[in-house]
Each structure stands twice: as structure tokens, then as C-alpha cells.
Amino acid sequence: MPIDIPKDKWPGSIKKITLGATAAEGGTRAKSITLGGQTTLPYLHFEAPTPNSPAIAIEIKSRKPEDWSPLLAEVWGEAMNDPAKWAKKAEEAGADLIVLALMLADSPDDAVKAVKSVLSASGLPLIVWGPGQAEKDNELLVPVAEAAKGEKLVLGICEDKNYRTIVATAMANGHLIEARTPMDVNLAKQLNILITDMGLPADRILMDPTTGALGYGIEYGYSVMERLRLAALQGDSMTQLPMIVTPGFEAWKAKESKVGEGVPESWGDWKARAVHWETLTAVALVESGADVIVLRHPESVKRVKSAIEELVMA
Amino acid sequence: MALSGIQIYKMLPQTNCKECGFPTCLAFAMKLAAKQVELSACPYVTEESKKQLAESAAPPVRLITLKAGTEVKAGNEVVMFRHEKTFYNKPGLFLRLKASDADLAKKAAAADAYKVNYVGMDFTLDGFAIEADGDLSAAVKTVRGVSKRPLILISNDPAALDKALSQLAGETALIYAADPSKYETLADTAAKHKAVLTVRGDSLEALADLTPKIQAKGVEDMVLDLGGKTLGEWLTLSTQARRLALKSNFKPLGYPVIFFAGQNGPEKEPVYAAQAISKYAGFVVLDTFTPELAYALLVLRENIYTDPQKPIQVQPGIYEINAPKPESPVLVTTNFSITYFSVANEVEGSGLPAWLVVTDAEGMSVLTAWAAGKFDAERIAKAVKEFNLAEKVSKKRIVLPGHVAVLSGELEEELSGWEIRVGPREAVDLPAFMKQALN
Ligand code: B12
Ligand code: SF4
């Protein structure tokens, strides 16, 4: 019997945004990445194709982080002492782009140097995060934005209390920004409105809805992303932006990934568990609409990449 | 799909005789639509209307229960997205075992015994799928020797199934699977043993053709295998099946679906199972059992199926950990389950005694509650007084979560005579802090 499959036709669509600039586009990246453009819910090819595959970013730091799990220290090894080497290794591990997280100990000179060395070591588009304290973020991100003018970096992380300086420097130097709000559709909209009111075009915003790890609040992030995507498709222009999520950061904070000893036997093998934790957190978020997935372990990168390929394939 | 009051009214006698206790048939119809009365209150409904009304009241995805010593339910779902209401019946996680496996008893016993605690709840696997690549009856007997959990029998040999199911009297098992080429005998076997029958087809059309035929043979309880060779194909099929059931009230596909997560190898299995859990599977069959994978999948399932309206919480109060004495330290946290158990498990594991004060933060994490004004100095002070903490301890010293260090000044004012200390940010670092900083 022929079946009439209910199909959704949406009035809205996600904006296309491009990260990174090649020589032709005024930068030095080997290639740029375009995200967004979706006209329906994730990977429902019977309604519309997926115009742009989500991208995987690997998170590296400007200095060796002391609080990362030994499992991560083991896979990245010596490269963790040098962001350029780390970036290169991340590229080899299959990253589509790099997230370079600056640290509190960095001076503006250190930050610029780290960013430049990563830009010359790897041709991938780059996202740069400040250390996460408003004043310090501004102090580091402004010189970085100027030094990398035209590269179409993504600068982050903008929050409601701290977005003006970063947005201004992104506007002046041709970059994009990452706008983070704590798991709330209206707050996300509101921040995007504030940012576009400053004059930054919407297609230079990557929206970060905040996520929790598996077992630590992932369900909130998952549902907020589904709701943001639905709002966007229904035509709400201030939610029609690609989304970035940080399952690597969240999952490696969880005890399940961080700690190998003194945990219940029913938690099983540490390394395998840690990779499952990161991978499953990431895949659930891919299903709910993530466009950039920031990971930490190469094995998770491999698995999430393969999942994305299977989802994007028509 | 549920009928409206007006649609129901058209099926009533429309005589307004009042015997149902309502002044008019329309008033009764409205109450029926709101599910506040039973149809049986009207003595005059025709058989035809009764049948139609019963059909419309049936859930769009049929509730299927597999039963043995334990039970697992699937179906009865009403939404496409969890935020629209909630997902109800968590997909059953089954482990596939081969009848020919020399280690069958050992493998089944290990998986059966598996138990893991997540925020105070014990989770286990739900059952076993036994593949008849050897003597099915013997394998069923072996598994029943070590496990009382529900079974899925993978075979299309009616004689072998008949024999195996005869050993499972009183249980509801799931047969895998009938397909268009050979469904009649399997339907008979399922009917005879009151088993649930999986239906498999190359397309949704093929499935929709087959389920009514099987129903006509007396089998009401079915499960669908939608096929699909990649993540993308399966997502499409399961979304379509769920939409047809929910939005079009399309009965031939109104059954829970089963998904075999190991079909493309062990490397992809975790991700396949994860998608099936988030995207509408009723039963997920694994080929691999490892504690770490089981734990991750069970937690994912719990998270996705948590009612978005009600965060999981614990009772506010004073929790005594490792038999605290009056001089033991006092720790403060919120009543969000994940928060409470992160802290309680750390302290318990360290063997150090402590009083853990759990405040009523309406089920929110430390920072969320703080940001929402549900975890502040005033509330903490109130809890300390309400729970009469001063009478229990000799050392008036309170440890705050590191994330809310900003509260310490205010809390000092609220609780005069108490020393306020700021602990580490993460619970993992609590034992070391308790040993070093709290003497
Ligand atoms: C899930 C979540 C939510 C969920 C709620 C979940 C819940 N039931 O609490 C939802 C989506 C509803 C939510 C809402 C809001 N949220 Co919220 N949310 C989160 C998120 C992602 C995870 C929180 C979580 O569950 N953590 C896990 C638990 C276990 O952590 P925890 O309680 O802190 O416990 C740990 C430690 O504190 C420590 N600990 C706990 N107790 C104790 C005790 C002692 C003595 C010690 C030493 C240690 C210790 O041990 C635990 C493990 O290490 C965080 C961001 C993040 N990724 O962390 C934001 C976050 C907490 N939310 C935030 C905000 C602002 C909000 C809102 C105000 C925003 C809004 N939408 O309006 C609302 C407030 C709620 C309201 N108005 O109703 C902010 C807080 C900002 C800040 N620093 O002040 C955060 C940090 C996000 C951000 N980066 O902006 N949120
Ligand atoms: S008893 Fe039946 S016929 Fe009589 S008023 Fe009620 S609904 Fe109408």
C-alpha cells in the first residue's frame, strides 16, 4: 500500500556562515568552512538534503593544561607543550578546524604568538577562546583579532555580560564571534539581538547554546537545541544561526572520564569509558542540530566523524 | 488520534435522555473527549460506534510488554520531541547471544548480574536475544538457568520456536522475525504462545502491508524492524514511522521498533545504540557487552527519558555520611540529584565522616540554583537553623561549594558564630580538601 509520509515544510532556514579565509578571500587558510543552510530538521533527507556537513573542531591550549585527564596527556604527549605542534597533530587526527584556548597565564604577546604559530602550522580555520574571565578575555582577544586581521577567526566566548569589546574587534578585523547563553531559547535570541544591534551581521555569529555532559545535564542542552532549531525553521530570524557545542570540555570534566581509580567496578574500563562518554555526548548533540562539535580525544573524533558521514550521506 | 467532542457527539444517539448523568449528549461527548468519563455510562451507544471510539482511544504507538521474571515496556509514546511532554517507556536494552556459543551460560550470567548505580538509581540490562544458530531450546534452557529476564528469540523456524516457547510458559517473549515471504506459520506460533511478533520488511510500505495480515491471524502485539543500513537511513525510517503513527494515526505502523546496534560492527555499535535511544527505538539489541558501554548507554537512556518538567531531586535534609561525630565537618549542597550524588559519593568513597546539608534548591545544580536565586546565604542559613544543625555539631564550621565562594561574606552575617569555609569547585577534590584543610 502506498503511504503518504507526513512532511514538514518550514518557512525559515538556517543562515550560511563561513569560517576561515583562504588567500583568495583575504586570509591564509588552506580552505574555509561553510556551515548552515539547513531548511529542515537534522538529516531528514526525505524533506531536504543537508547542505553543509557539521564540522569537528579539536580543542588545544596555548600552554600545557595541568588539569586535563592523564588519558588526554597520553595521546597528545609532547605536543601539548607547543600549540603549533599540537595543532598539526590535531589536523592529522582529522579535525576540520582548531579551537585554540588561551590561558590566564598568557600575556597579550604570548597570545598573539600562540595564535600566529598555530596559523602557520596548520591551514585549518581557527576558533580562539579567551581564558574565560571578562577582563582577561578582552585584554587577549583584541590584540589577537588585530594580528590575525582578515583570517575570519571565530572569537569567543561572548556572553551577555561580556560581548561588546569582542564584537567590536571582530567587526573591525573581519572575524566572527561565538555567542554563548546558558541553555535557554530566549536568552540565546536576546544575545544575538544585542550583538547584531552593534552592527555585526548575523552571518558572523556562531551560536553556543551551552551543553552538559552525558549524566550531567545533557538532556537540557539536547532539548534547548531542538527547540532553537524548531524556532529557527518556524521563521524566528534571531535563532537562525549554526550552533557550536563543547562535548569535549564537558565530558572530560565528568568523573567518568577524568578518573580511573577508586570508581565502581560497574563503570568498566577507564579509557574505553572516557571515549564513550565524549562520543555519546557528542552524537546526541549532533542529532539535535550541532554544526560545530568541539572534541578532545582523537578516538572520539574518528567515531563522531564517521557518524556524521553516515548521517549526511543521502 | 484522539477525536474531538464534536466528532464523538456524532457517534452518540443524540436523544439527550440524560441517563449518563449529563443534560445532553453533547455535554457527555465533551467529557469523553477530555477523558473524564467512561463510554459505558451511556447505555445506548451502538456496537459500531463503540468500536470506532475504542480505536480512536488506542494509543498511536501500541504498548508492548515483554514479561518474564522482570518486565520491559515499549510504545505508548505521544510526542516527537521530549520537550513537548516527555518520552515514557525507556527502550529495552537486550544483549544478543548465540545458541551455539560454548560460553553462553557464562556470558548470560555476567550480563544478567550487571548492575550500575546512577544518582541513586540501579540500572541493569533488560534481557537477552538468543540467536538460533544452534539448538534454540537448549540455549533457552541454559539462559533461563542464569537469568529471569525477558527473551527475544531470533529464528524463523516455527518448529524450533514452538519448542523453545513451550519452555517459557507464563512469559511474554518476542519472536524475531516474520517477513512477507513467511509470516503465516510464525503468526500461528506467536498466537499459540501469546508471544509478540517482530515484523520485518524492505520498506515501510511492505511493513504496512504485512501488519494487518498478521493481525488478521490473531496477533495483536507486534514490533517493527524498519531495516536501514546506515545511521542516516535508520533516522529517516524511524522518524517516518513515528510521525505516521503520531500525526496520521496510521495504525499499520503504530508499533514500537527494534534496532540491532551491532549490525555494522563493534566500532560503530555505541554510536548506533545512542542514536536508537534518542530517536525512537523501543528495543535496542547489542552485540557487545562491556560494563563501560552498558553504563554509558543506560545513563543516556535515563537522561533522554527524564521528564523535562521534573528534574530528578533528593529530599532536603541532613545526610549523615560515614557516621559523623559532633566534630565532623559540615558540607552544604543543593537537592539536585546529580549534584547531591556527586558530593555524597566522593565523601562516602573517601571514608571520611561528614554532615551533608542538602538545601531545598528546587532540584537545581549549585550554579543554576545560585543564578536563579534558589541557593543563597539566606536559604542556606534557613536550612542550617531548620535542621537544628547547631545541636548536632560541636565545631560550628560550614564548607561551601567552591563555585559559590561569593556567598561566604553574606553567610557569615546570616550565621553568626559559624566559621564559613570555601571548598573546592569540583566534588572530586573534596576528600583531599577535607584531609588537608579541615583539621
Ligand atoms: C543543566 C543546566 C541548567 C538546567 C538546570 C539543571 C538543574 N536541574 O539544575 C537549566 C536548563 C534548567 C538551567 C537553567 C538556568 N541556568 Co543553568 N546550567 C546548566 C549547566 C549546563 C549544568 C549544570 C549541572 O547540572 N552541573 C552538574 C552538577 C553536578 O554540578 P554542581 O551542582 O555545580 O555540582 C558540582 C560542584 O559544584 C561540586 N559541589 C556541589 N556541591 C558541593 C558542596 C561542597 C561542599 C563542595 C566543596 C563542592 C560541591 O560538586 C559537583 C561535581 O563536581 C551549567 C553549565 C555547565 N556546563 O556547568 C549551566 C549554568 C549553571 N546555568 C547558568 C544560568 C545562568 C542559568 C539560568 C539563570 C539561565 C536561564 N536560562 O534563565 C537558569 C536558572 C534556572 C531558572 N531560572 O529556572 C549559568 C550560571 C552562571 C553563573 N556562573 O552564575 C551556568 C554556569 C551556565 C553558564 N556558563 O552561564 N541550567
Ligand atoms: S445516556 Fe447516551 S443518549 Fe442519553 S444523554 Fe447521555 S449520551 Fe446521550
Side-chain angles (χ1 to χ4, degrees):
Chain A
M1 120 181 36
I3 301 178
D4 189 11
I5 302 214
K7 288 188 188 166
D8 288 329
K9 271 223 160 48
W10 302 102
S13 63
I14 309 305
K15 289 191 175 60
K16 274 196 188 137
I17 76 172
T18 299
L19 281 52
T22 60
E25 294 154 346
T28 63
R29 304 299 77 211
K31 65 174 175 87
S32 55
I33 293 179
T34 298
L35 302 166
Q38 298 93 323
T39 54
T40 188
L41 290 168
Y43 317 111
L44 297 185
H45 298 289
F46 64 102
E47 291 179 339
T50 303
N52 292 295
S53 176
I56 292 182
I58 292 182
E59 179 187 351
I60 67 170
K61 296 220 158 212
S62 56
R63 303 161 183 262
K64 184 174 180 177
E66 294 308 323
D67 57 347
W68 278 29
S69 167
L71 294 177
L72 292 167
E74 187 187 299
V75 286
W76 295 115
E78 273 301 296
M80 287 177 107
N81 295 313
D82 177 351
K85 286 195 188 129
W86 199 349
K88 203 134 192 67
K89 237 179 144 175
E91 185 168 351
E92 284 158 20
D96 301 309
L97 61 155
I98 306 283
V99 166
L100 171 63
L102 302 172
M103 314 241 318
L104 276 176
D106 293 335
S107 68
D109 280 351
D110 296 338
V112 169
K113 209 173 125 224
V115 168
K116 285 202 154 161
S117 75
V118 169
L119 285 172
S120 54
S122 159
L124 299 181
L126 181 63
I127 297 176
V128 183
W129 287 344
Q133 281 186 11
E135 268 172 44
K136 190 77 190 184
D137 286 357
N138 296 344
E139 186 190 324
L140 300 187
L141 289 173
V142 173
V144 161
E146 287 164 358
K149 190 173 170 105
E151 290 284 7
K152 287 193 123 190
L153 304 179
V154 180
L155 304 174
I157 294 173
C158 296
E159 301 186 59
D160 62 350
K161 55 185 181 293
N162 179 37
Y163 65 93
R164 293 176 170 277
T165 308
I166 304 177
V167 171
T169 195
M171 273 163 60
N173 297 292
H175 301 302
L176 292 80
I177 59 105
E178 173 176 345
R180 172 178 287 181
T181 43
M183 296 190 167
D184 185 285
V185 174
N186 289 322
L187 292 180
K189 257 176 83 166
Q190 215 175 316
L191 183 58
N192 294 338
I193 291 171
L194 291 171
I195 290 170
T196 46
D197 278 354
M198 278 184 68
L200 187 76
D203 67 2
R204 278 168 50 195
I205 302 175
L206 196 53
M207 189 163 66
D208 178 347
T210 307
T211 192
L214 178 61
Y216 297 86
I218 191 178
E219 65 272 35
Y220 296 97
Y222 181 90
S223 284
V224 162
M225 287 167 69
E226 287 194 330
R227 290 175 51 207
L228 277 166
R229 201 35 62 91
L230 285 165
L233 294 172
Q234 278 153 6
D236 181 341
S237 70
M238 278 298 131
T239 55
Q240 293 170 339
L241 300 166
M243 294 189 274
I244 179 170
V245 290
T246 53
F249 170 76
E250 296 294 340
W252 285 98
K253 210 166 58 176
K255 186 171 181 187
E256 279 79 354
S257 309
K258 218 171 168 179
V259 188
E261 276 165 28
V263 302
E265 208 175 301
S266 54
W267 284 18
D269 178 72
W270 179 24
K271 186 176 162 202
R273 177 177 73 240
V275 170
H276 287 328
W277 225 258
E278 186 176 28
T279 305
L280 296 200
T281 304
V283 166
L285 301 174
V286 167
E287 304 274 354
S288 58
D291 296 281
V292 179
I293 300 100
V294 189
L295 298 171
R296 286 187 173 175
H297 197 286
E299 180 60 28
S300 315
V301 171
K302 202 172 110 200
R303 295 193 195 176
V304 177
K305 228 181 152 89
S306 141
I308 290 174
E309 273 161 21
E310 282 192 32
L311 285 166
V312 170
M313 210 159 51
Chain B
M1 203 170 292
L3 294 176
S4 69
I6 302 291
Q7 286 168 317
I8 296 175
Y9 171 70
K10 291 185 180 145
M11 289 182 230
L12 294 176
Q14 305 177 13
T15 55
N16 301 335
C17 76
K18 301 187 175 56
E19 275 183 51
C20 55
F22 292 91
T24 61
C25 294
L26 183 61
F28 181 66
M30 291 299 179
K31 290 282 169 190
L32 262 180
K35 297 195 165 64
Q36 289 163 349
V37 291
E38 294 290 324
L39 181 63
S40 55
C42 168
Y44 306 111
V45 195
T46 62
E47 285 307 314
E48 175 58 27
S49 298
K50 265 189 205 160
K51 205 173 141 232
Q52 274 185 27
L53 285 165
E55 265 170 27
S56 81
V61 181
R62 188 175 174 85
L63 179 69
I64 297 295
T65 307
L66 301 188
K67 257 193 253 151
T70 56
E71 243 184 40
V72 50
K73 290 189 163 117
N76 249 2
E77 300 298 340
V78 296
V79 291
M80 298 296 298
F81 304 101
R82 56 186 293 285
H83 67 259
E84 292 174 311
K85 187 160 175 58
T86 184
F87 292 168
Y88 289 100
N89 289 304
K90 297 175 203 166
L93 288 185
F94 283 71
L95 177 65
R96 172 150 72 170
L97 299 169
K98 287 182 165 22
S100 64
D101 192 335
D103 289 330
L104 181 60
K106 214 171 99 192
K107 286 186 184 160
D112 183 80
Y114 180 73
K115 191 164 86 176
V116 66
N117 189 282
Y118 169 68
V119 299
M121 297 176 278
D122 277 330
F123 295 149
T124 64
L125 296 183
D126 296 287
F128 296 95
I130 307 177
E131 187 167 338
D133 65 340
D135 184 339
L136 183 61
S137 293
V140 164
K141 201 165 164 212
T142 305
V143 173
R144 270 290 164 266
V146 295
S147 171
K148 299 281 170 272
R149 299 184 193 279
L151 297 181
I152 300 172
L153 304 180
I154 305 179
S155 164
N156 57 10
D157 174 356
L161 284 167
D162 188 58
K163 201 171 154 212
L165 287 163
S166 304
Q167 294 171 256
L168 301 174
E171 299 189 12
T172 310
L174 173 62
I175 297 173
Y176 183 92
D179 61 29
S181 69
K182 187 178 178 185
Y183 68 89
E184 284 162 315
T185 46
L186 285 185
D188 290 338
T189 310
K192 177 177 166 195
H193 294 281
K194 297 201 165 51
V196 182
L197 184 58
T198 310
V199 184
R200 189 171 55 179
D202 291 336
S203 63
L204 294 183
E205 284 81 4
L207 280 170
D209 279 338
L210 196 49
T211 55
K213 291 183 192 158
I214 291 175
Q215 201 180 23
K217 297 215 56 145
V219 177
E220 298 283 346
D221 288 336
M222 285 176 259
V223 165
L224 309 176
D225 181 341
L226 305 173
K229 292 184 191 66
T230 65
L231 280 179
E233 282 179 28
W234 201 76
L235 177 67
T236 292
L237 290 165
S238 74
T239 303
Q240 292 178 337
R242 177 90 155 229
R243 270 197 201 167
L244 281 161
L246 261 48
K247 300 199 169 167
S248 315
N249 200 26
F250 186 66
K251 292 291 174 197
L253 294 178
Y255 302 94
V257 300
I258 187 169
F259 181 70
F260 287 79
Q263 59 183 280
N264 284 339
E267 178 129 323
K268 297 191 167 192
E269 189 169 14
V271 164
Y272 276 43
Q275 175 178 285
I277 286 170
S278 342
K279 292 293 173 184
Y280 317 135
F283 300 95
V284 179
V285 183
L286 301 172
D287 282 349
T288 310
F289 168 73
T290 62
E292 60 274 11
L293 178 58
Y295 178 38
L297 292 174
L298 288 163
V299 171
L300 178 64
R301 180 177 83 166
E302 179 63 27
N303 290 166
I304 296 289
Y305 277 73
T306 294
D307 184 342
Q309 264 41 270
K310 301 179 215 143
I312 33 174
Q313 337 189 349
V314 294
Q315 198 63 31
I318 298 183
Y319 289 73
E320 303 183 4
I321 302 185
N322 298 328
K325 302 192 187 54
E327 67 274 19
S328 302
V330 178
L331 312 174
V332 189
T333 191
T334 72
N335 70 326
F336 182 36
S337 274
I338 303 175
T339 301
Y340 165 79
F341 281 102
S342 306
V343 178
N345 288 344
E346 282 312 328
V347 181
E348 210 171 289
S350 73
L352 301 167
W355 305 92
L356 181 55
V357 177
V358 175
T359 61
D360 182 359
E362 298 176 19
M364 289 184 215
S365 79
V366 167
L367 277 178
T368 310
W370 176 75
K374 309 289 181 192
F375 187 59
D376 53 21
E378 203 179 315
R379 284 196 176 219
I380 297 171
K382 194 170 147 241
V384 167
K385 288 174 191 154
E386 213 173 274
F387 304 145
N388 288 326
L389 204 63
E391 290 168 20
K392 296 194 160 68
V393 300
S394 56
K395 209 174 209 170
K396 289 181 152 186
R397 185 174 59 182
I398 286 191
V399 182
L400 282 176
H403 280 299
V404 289
V406 292
L407 292 179
S408 58
E410 261 180 78
L411 192 57
E412 257 163 27
E413 284 172 27
E414 294 273 346
L415 287 175
S416 62
W418 287 77
E419 182 195 348
I420 312 297
R421 296 284 291 271
V422 175
R425 291 169 156 252
E426 303 301 332
V428 198
D429 303 319
L430 244 176
F433 173 82
M434 287 166 72
K435 274 181 216 148
Q436 287 156 17
L438 297 183
N439 287 308

